[in-house]
Amino acid sequence: MTESTDSAETASDGGVEPTRRLESASAKVNEQFENIRRTRRRRAVGWVGFVVALGFITLQGLAATEFFDERTNFTWSHFAGRMGDYFPRTDVAGIPFLDIWTYWEFISANDLIYDAEIGGLLFQFPPNAGDLYAFFFQEMGVFAIFGEAGITLAMGLVGTILGFPLALLFSVLGSERVTPFPINFIFRGIMSFIRAIPAIIWALIFVALVGLGAAAATLAIALNTIGNLGRLFVEELEELEDGPIEAMRTTGANKPQVVFFGMLSQVKTSFIAWTLYIFEINVRSAVTVGVIGAGGLGAVVATQEARLVFENMMATLFVIFVLIFLVELFSQRLRARLRSNQEKKSIYQLIVGFPQRMADSIIR
């Protein structure tokens, strides 16, 4: 290699400076270096253009949402005063603390997490067979014992259970692997129509059917489950490997057998994982739908907000946070157990080991 080749230096963009061309290299090699340099420059210009366009679109969006409108006044002092209403304080030795007891008084007085009347049927010594029968089969207290939180959880769970079979059916019929085009688009269109309307609107529609209450909210969540879960199932079915399906066909299996044993058997784990994920979303939706008066914790939040009792509203929000956190924790652990390549931990190990895992993450 000649002296000019040895002195060639790499440019900041990874290419070779024009003045440092590899004179001993062939023209094709130098042309390749030049192509690499041009590609990286075009990519850099493209990224700059993307960032500028994104900034422009963001400004347009801020203007559309009246962030720059004269009517929009950021009253920080009013906001800070309102936050003080959410967090009651108490002084201990002259030091202000958050008054947790105020929250607890409201939570216990309004049966947000425990209904003492229902619980009295279950927790008594010695146990009364008649009360136990009433708890499980007359009062149906498995969810009711947890008060308003239990009602919210029941809305999300029952909505998921009711929506799952139709979500599965519509996803199979909406898959092009099962139903030929364009018939499969009929089922996809139905699911798209369901998803296009939020659960809170569906609840308002179902009020005409069952009246305002938790039943309307549960039906709305079930319908939304068909649209959302069905769409996820369709995507899973479309990504299936052809091998097992073709193998089933070569054995003479008919179409239902191919669907059940060749397709659904491949995606049953991911189906369960997606169903648990939708269950998490449905519990959040149950809170949202409850705001219109459909019961549960959402209805309590709306009532306290209308009464301008913000500390009670904040107490309810804390209960919602704990409920959602526990549902996510349960769902994540169950999904982790479905994955064979992950270490399996119990909920106890998860909670007790949390400080150690947090410390390990920080050290990394």
Side-chain angles (χ1 to χ4, degrees), residues 169-176 179 184 187-188 191 234 238:
L169 176 64
F170 278 49
S171 64
V172 171
L173 295 176
S175 172
E176 197 169 356
T179 308
N184 66 321
F187 300 98
R188 288 191 175 213
M191 289 187 287
V234 167
E238 295 296 325

Side-chain angles (χ1 to χ4, degrees), residues 198-364:
I200 195 168
I201 305 300
W202 283 119
L204 292 173
I205 295 173
F206 282 122
V207 165
L209 176 65
V210 293
L212 183 62
T218 305
L219 290 176
I221 292 170
L223 193 60
N224 246 29
T225 300
I226 297 171
N228 293 327
L229 191 57
R231 168 62 187 275
L232 295 172
F233 284 177
V234 167
E235 296 301 327
E236 286 290 336
L237 292 173
E238 295 296 325
E239 298 298 326
L240 283 176
E241 297 288 340
D242 287 327
I245 299 173
E246 293 300 326
M248 288 285 299
R249 286 175 179 153
T250 56
T251 61
N254 56 31
K255 201 161 190 176
Q257 289 173 328
V258 170
V259 171
F260 281 102
F261 302 109
M263 297 177 67
L264 295 182
S265 62
Q266 291 190 61
V267 295
K268 62 181 180 183
T269 302
S270 55
F271 272 23
I272 295 172
W274 281 124
T275 304
L276 291 171
Y277 173 68
I278 291 296
F279 169 55
E280 293 176 25
I281 294 177
N282 284 347
V283 175
R284 295 189 186 95
S285 296
V287 175
T288 306
V289 174
V291 171
I292 65 170
L297 295 171
V300 178
V301 170
T303 302
Q304 299 306 314
E305 195 275 337
R307 295 175 56 202
L308 303 180
V309 187
F310 298 111
E311 60 186 24
N312 292 347
M313 182 180 167
M314 195 67 202
T316 313
L317 293 179
F318 275 125
V319 175
I320 291 172
F321 167 74
V322 172
L323 175 64
I324 299 297
F325 176 77
L326 290 177
V327 169
E328 286 196 6
L329 188 65
F330 166 76
S331 178
Q332 286 178 6
R333 296 324 303 162
L334 204 53
R335 287 204 300 265
R337 285 186 174 275
L338 294 173
R339 303 187 194 103
S340 58
N341 59 344
Q342 285 198 0
E343 182 185 359
K344 295 178 173 57
K345 291 189 178 70
S346 66
I347 292 181
Y348 174 77
Q349 291 173 321
L350 192 70
I351 296 174
V352 173
F354 179 77
Q356 182 62 43
R357 292 196 305 278
M358 196 71 180
D360 293 341
S361 299
I362 294 173
I363 294 173
R364 285 198 211 108

Side-chain angles (χ1 to χ4, degrees), residues 67-145:
F67 265 73
F68 304 134
D69 198 287
E70 293 180 353
R71 295 172 296 178
T72 303
N73 298 315
F74 289 88
T75 53
W76 294 109
S77 59
H78 176 72
F79 179 74
R82 176 61 58 85
M83 288 298 101
D85 296 335
Y86 280 94
F87 301 100
R89 293 188 308 175
T90 183
D91 291 338
V92 178
I95 302 174
F97 285 92
L98 179 64
D99 190 359
I100 302 293
W101 182 248
T102 301
Y103 288 153
W104 178 249
E105 281 185 328
F106 175 76
I107 291 171
S108 58
N110 290 274
D111 299 334
L112 295 194
I113 59 174
Y114 176 69
D115 189 325
E117 185 177 351
I118 300 295
L121 298 174
L122 183 64
F123 299 113
Q124 56 180 312
F125 187 82
N128 184 296
D131 287 344
L132 289 177
Y133 178 82
F135 176 84
F136 286 107
F137 300 106
Q138 292 179 338
E139 298 294 336
M140 302 290 182
V142 172
F143 287 98
I145 192 173

Side-chain angles (χ1 to χ4, degrees), residues 6-53:
D6 293 333
S7 62
E9 296 179 359
T10 302
S12 58
D13 62 356
V16 177
E17 297 290 349
T19 56
R20 301 290 184 180
R21 295 175 65 85
L22 302 177
E23 295 182 359
S24 63
S26 65
K28 189 174 182 180
V29 171
N30 281 310
E31 182 183 357
Q32 187 65 25
F33 276 129
E34 185 63 23
N35 288 336
I36 293 172
R37 188 165 54 249
R38 279 200 296 266
T39 300
R40 292 188 175 182
R41 284 176 179 170
R42 282 197 296 268
R43 192 175 298 166
V45 171
W47 273 108
V48 170
F50 173 75
V51 170
V52 171

